[in-house]
Amino acid sequence: MKVISQNTAFGGMQGVFQHQSEACNCEMTFAVFVPPQAITKKRPVLWFLSGLTCTHANVMEKGEYRRLAAELGLIIVCPDTSPRGNDVPDELTNWQMGKGAGFYLDATEMPWSEHYRMYTYVTEELPALIGEHFRADMTRQGIFGHSMGGHGAMTIALKNPDRFKSCSAFAPIVEPSTADWSAPALEKYLGSDKANWRAYDACALVQDGARFPEFLIDQGKADSFLESGLRPWLFEDAIQGTGIGLTLRMHERYDHSYYFISTFMDDHLRWHAERLA
């Protein structure tokens, strides 16, 4: 594991690291904020999954999480959104596919399947690295994300309810199998049989019996992607009668940007901290 950078912030450490990933068959970069309390005691881990076109750096630089994470004693892990490198397949003119658009799934179709195994990377390989090298209490993990990362957080939580104690999302893609900007990517990654897409679709997972105690979703009403890609009301409908709790907050005037995310970041950190206590 290479240290790319380490900086002191709010008494803790903000680091960026790089390692050779077996799951993604390339070098992967990730960011970790370790709070000052970790000097004496292992701390709970909160994963943040970023959205389309982003890297680990977007939330690290614009998410404004360090002050409260240091106060609450939370380790924040920010993976990249896809494999990277000259040998990694990509669609240069399509921002919804390839590099920056891994959708937190394990691709089964060539040429994508050789590298695009972000589900395995985020749920198996990177957690092992975090548990080994950082002062992390891996028995207390939460997960949240934005947009494509919100989709990833919700699907990962639904499939791993024994591992994660909390899940929230900013403007998530709740039903990617029918969304204009994600369905084409699922077909390329997973093939034309839509039955194979259901494992990476929050609404479909609930319909197929997956359960998680509760979710927090924040969504801006001025989000230009609301009607075509996000549609949180579909998840609200899907959980009816399941016992899954949902706090869905719709906000006037807020869009899809990190101005929106940073506004409600403290609410999400406190949500997770309460459930990871």
Side-chain angles (χ1 to χ4, degrees):
M1 191 173 67
K2 303 175 186 175
V3 178
I4 305 301
S5 64
Q6 286 183 308
N7 301 93
T8 301
F10 299 98
M13 184 278 294
Q14 176 66 68
V16 178
F17 306 90
Q18 193 174 71
H19 72 113
Q20 183 65 32
S21 166
E22 292 184 8
C24 296
N25 192 25
C26 65
E27 281 197 324
M28 294 292 289
T29 303
F30 63 95
V32 182
F33 175 73
V34 180
Q37 296 92 330
I39 294 173
T40 58
K41 188 177 181 180
K42 289 186 176 183
R43 304 306 305 169
V45 179
L46 182 55
W47 297 80
F48 183 89
L49 306 185
S50 293
L52 286 163
T53 75
C54 293
T55 69
H56 68 282
N58 295 75
V59 69
M60 185 181 76
E61 296 170 356
K62 298 183 286 187
E64 301 182 23
Y65 58 80
R66 277 174 289 270
R67 177 192 58 79
L68 189 57
E71 178 184 324
L72 298 172
L74 296 173
I75 294 175
I76 310 294
V77 181
C78 309
D80 202 348
T81 54
S82 75
R84 306 279 177 176
N86 294 332
D87 297 331
V88 174
D90 192 18
E91 291 189 0
L92 295 176
T93 60
N94 182 6
W95 61 276
Q96 298 166 333
M97 185 69 194
K99 294 178 185 177
F103 280 93
Y104 303 100
L105 52 76
D106 282 353
T108 57
E109 301 297 301
M110 290 293 290
W112 314 103
S113 57
E114 291 187 5
H115 296 277
Y116 286 80
R117 302 184 68 242
M118 288 299 296
Y119 178 81
T120 294
Y121 178 70
V122 170
T123 61
E124 297 180 18
E125 185 175 16
L126 190 53
L129 201 64
I130 298 299
E132 179 181 357
H133 292 283
F134 300 91
R135 298 279 297 171
D137 182 354
M138 302 305 285
T139 67
R140 293 188 289 165
Q141 296 186 66
I143 190 167
F144 68 148
H146 171 231
S147 193
M148 178 187 72
H151 137 77
M154 293 175 70
T155 56
I156 288 171
L158 283 163
K159 291 197 284 186
N160 298 274
D162 295 333
R163 178 183 301 184
F164 296 98
K165 297 182 180 300
S166 57
C167 181
S168 69
F170 300 97
I173 309 171
V174 300
E175 193 175 84
S177 61
T178 62
D180 293 346
W181 59 339
S182 51
L186 294 189
E187 183 169 7
K188 292 175 184 178
Y189 285 136
L190 302 172
S192 59
D193 185 353
K194 293 184 178 181
N196 296 327
W197 305 5
R198 299 182 68 83
Y200 302 103
D201 183 305
C203 289
L205 282 167
V206 170
Q207 292 163 4
D208 292 344
R211 296 292 181 264
F212 197 78
E214 56 182 338
F215 295 89
L216 167 65
I217 294 177
D218 276 310
Q219 173 66 62
K221 288 186 176 182
D223 191 322
S224 60
F225 303 114
L226 179 58
E227 296 290 339
S228 61
L230 308 174
R231 307 170 296 167
W233 50 84
L234 296 179
F235 189 71
E236 191 173 31
D237 291 341
I239 66 169
Q240 294 300 314
T242 64
I244 297 174
L246 174 63
T247 301
L248 173 59
R249 307 191 304 183
M250 303 293 295
H251 301 281
E252 298 286 349
R253 305 193 311 278
Y254 283 95
D255 57 18
H256 201 67
S257 70
Y258 270 87
Y259 297 109
F260 158 64
I261 295 170
S262 63
T263 299
F264 300 103
M265 178 62 77
D266 281 8
D267 291 352
H268 285 246
L269 293 180
R270 293 189 190 279
W271 166 277
H272 289 279
E274 290 176 3
R275 288 151 182 82
L276 297 175

